[in-house]
mmCIF file of all heavy atoms in Angstrom:
data_model
loop_
_atom_site.group_PDB
_atom_site.id
_atom_site.type_symbol
_atom_site.label_atom_id
_atom_site.label_comp_id
_atom_site.label_asym_id
_atom_site.label_seq_id
_atom_site.Cartn_x
_atom_site.Cartn_y
_atom_site.Cartn_z
ATOM 1 N N LYS Q 235 10.211 40.005 32.585
ATOM 2 C CA LYS Q 235 11.598 40.033 32.113
ATOM 3 C C LYS Q 235 12.525 39.464 33.191
ATOM 4 O O LYS Q 235 12.411 39.815 34.366
ATOM 5 C CB LYS Q 235 11.979 41.480 31.804
ATOM 6 C CG LYS Q 235 13.318 41.653 31.167
ATOM 7 C CD LYS Q 235 13.559 43.110 30.835
ATOM 8 C CE LYS Q 235 14.955 43.280 30.268
ATOM 9 N NZ LYS Q 235 15.248 44.653 29.927
ATOM 10 N N GLY Q 236 13.409 38.549 32.795
ATOM 11 C CA GLY Q 236 14.377 37.974 33.729
ATOM 12 C C GLY Q 236 13.839 36.813 34.552
ATOM 13 O O GLY Q 236 14.539 36.294 35.418
ATOM 14 N N ALA Q 237 12.600 36.384 34.279
ATOM 15 C CA ALA Q 237 12.006 35.290 35.064
ATOM 16 C C ALA Q 237 12.785 33.986 34.896
ATOM 17 O O ALA Q 237 12.841 33.153 35.789
ATOM 18 C CB ALA Q 237 10.544 35.079 34.656
ATOM 19 N N PHE Q 238 13.371 33.811 33.729
ATOM 20 C CA PHE Q 238 14.192 32.623 33.468
ATOM 21 C C PHE Q 238 15.190 32.987 32.370
ATOM 22 O O PHE Q 238 15.064 34.043 31.722
ATOM 23 C CB PHE Q 238 13.335 31.424 33.060
ATOM 24 C CG PHE Q 238 12.334 31.736 31.968
ATOM 25 C CD1 PHE Q 238 12.709 31.704 30.623
ATOM 26 C CD2 PHE Q 238 11.023 32.077 32.294
ATOM 27 C CE1 PHE Q 238 11.788 31.992 29.636
ATOM 28 C CE2 PHE Q 238 10.097 32.364 31.300
ATOM 29 C CZ PHE Q 238 10.482 32.327 29.960
ATOM 30 N N THR Q 239 16.193 32.127 32.178
ATOM 31 C CA THR Q 239 17.195 32.392 31.161
ATOM 32 C C THR Q 239 16.508 32.517 29.804
ATOM 33 O O THR Q 239 15.742 31.645 29.409
ATOM 34 C CB THR Q 239 18.203 31.220 31.112
ATOM 35 O OG1 THR Q 239 18.618 30.953 32.439
ATOM 36 C CG2 THR Q 239 19.393 31.561 30.241
ATOM 37 N N GLY Q 240 16.758 33.607 29.152
ATOM 38 C CA GLY Q 240 16.144 33.800 27.830
ATOM 39 C C GLY Q 240 14.904 34.680 27.870
ATOM 40 O O GLY Q 240 14.394 35.055 26.813
ATOM 41 N N ALA Q 241 14.425 34.995 29.086
ATOM 42 C CA ALA Q 241 13.249 35.880 29.183
ATOM 43 C C ALA Q 241 13.731 37.322 29.084
ATOM 44 O O ALA Q 241 13.904 38.017 30.084
ATOM 45 C CB ALA Q 241 12.509 35.637 30.492
ATOM 46 N N ASP Q 242 13.975 37.755 27.835
ATOM 47 C CA ASP Q 242 14.540 39.091 27.614
ATOM 48 C C ASP Q 242 13.510 40.204 27.774
ATOM 49 O O ASP Q 242 13.852 41.367 27.891
ATOM 50 C CB ASP Q 242 15.154 39.164 26.207
ATOM 51 C CG ASP Q 242 16.277 38.149 26.056
ATOM 52 O OD1 ASP Q 242 16.904 37.839 27.085
ATOM 53 O OD2 ASP Q 242 16.498 37.663 24.933
ATOM 54 N N GLY Q 243 12.248 39.823 27.723
ATOM 55 C CA GLY Q 243 11.184 40.816 27.899
ATOM 56 C C GLY Q 243 10.021 40.171 28.634
ATOM 57 O O GLY Q 243 10.070 38.981 28.950
ATOM 58 N N SER Q 244 8.991 40.954 28.904
ATOM 59 C CA SER Q 244 7.806 40.410 29.557
ATOM 60 C C SER Q 244 6.794 39.987 28.511
ATOM 61 O O SER Q 244 6.758 40.553 27.412
ATOM 62 C CB SER Q 244 7.172 41.453 30.470
ATOM 63 O OG SER Q 244 8.075 41.784 31.502
ATOM 64 N N ARG Q 245 5.990 38.980 28.844
ATOM 65 C CA ARG Q 245 4.933 38.537 27.917
ATOM 66 C C ARG Q 245 3.694 38.148 28.690
ATOM 67 O O ARG Q 245 3.788 37.458 29.710
ATOM 68 C CB ARG Q 245 5.428 37.314 27.130
ATOM 69 C CG ARG Q 245 5.048 37.352 25.679
ATOM 70 C CD ARG Q 245 5.024 35.976 25.062
ATOM 71 N NE ARG Q 245 3.695 35.397 25.181
ATOM 72 C CZ ARG Q 245 3.324 34.269 24.617
ATOM 73 N NH1 ARG Q 245 4.177 33.565 23.933
ATOM 74 N NH2 ARG Q 245 2.097 33.807 24.752
ATOM 75 N N SER Q 246 2.560 38.609 28.233
ATOM 76 C CA SER Q 246 1.337 38.197 28.929
ATOM 77 C C SER Q 246 0.989 36.778 28.483
ATOM 78 O O SER Q 246 1.283 36.376 27.357
ATOM 79 C CB SER Q 246 0.191 39.157 28.615
ATOM 80 O OG SER Q 246 -0.100 39.112 27.253
ATOM 81 N N GLY Q 247 0.389 36.036 29.391
ATOM 82 C CA GLY Q 247 0.089 34.638 29.104
ATOM 83 C C GLY Q 247 -1.282 34.455 28.483
ATOM 84 O O GLY Q 247 -2.060 35.406 28.331
ATOM 85 N N ARG Q 248 -1.561 33.203 28.116
ATOM 86 C CA ARG Q 248 -2.821 32.885 27.444
ATOM 87 C C ARG Q 248 -4.008 33.055 28.395
ATOM 88 O O ARG Q 248 -5.119 33.324 27.954
ATOM 89 C CB ARG Q 248 -2.786 31.453 26.907
ATOM 90 C CG ARG Q 248 -1.559 31.153 26.084
ATOM 91 C CD ARG Q 248 -1.509 31.943 24.812
ATOM 92 N NE ARG Q 248 -2.064 31.205 23.708
ATOM 93 C CZ ARG Q 248 -2.348 31.715 22.520
ATOM 94 N NH1 ARG Q 248 -2.115 33.002 22.304
ATOM 95 N NH2 ARG Q 248 -2.850 30.989 21.573
ATOM 96 N N LEU Q 249 -3.769 32.893 29.697
ATOM 97 C CA LEU Q 249 -4.853 33.065 30.665
ATOM 98 C C LEU Q 249 -5.376 34.505 30.612
ATOM 99 O O LEU Q 249 -6.588 34.730 30.658
ATOM 100 C CB LEU Q 249 -4.360 32.756 32.086
ATOM 101 C CG LEU Q 249 -4.658 31.367 32.648
ATOM 102 C CD1 LEU Q 249 -4.132 30.276 31.749
ATOM 103 C CD2 LEU Q 249 -4.085 31.208 34.042
ATOM 104 N N LEU Q 250 -4.444 35.435 30.537
ATOM 105 C CA LEU Q 250 -4.839 36.842 30.491
ATOM 106 C C LEU Q 250 -5.523 37.160 29.159
ATOM 107 O O LEU Q 250 -6.513 37.890 29.118
ATOM 108 C CB LEU Q 250 -3.611 37.735 30.683
ATOM 109 C CG LEU Q 250 -3.903 39.203 30.995
ATOM 110 C CD1 LEU Q 250 -4.688 39.348 32.288
ATOM 111 C CD2 LEU Q 250 -2.617 40.005 31.085
#
Side-chain angles (χ1 to χ4, degrees):
Chain Q
K235 186 177 177 180
F238 49 84
T239 311
D242 299 331
S244 297
R245 221 203 91 173
S246 63
R248 309 294 266 169
L249 262 56
L250 194 61

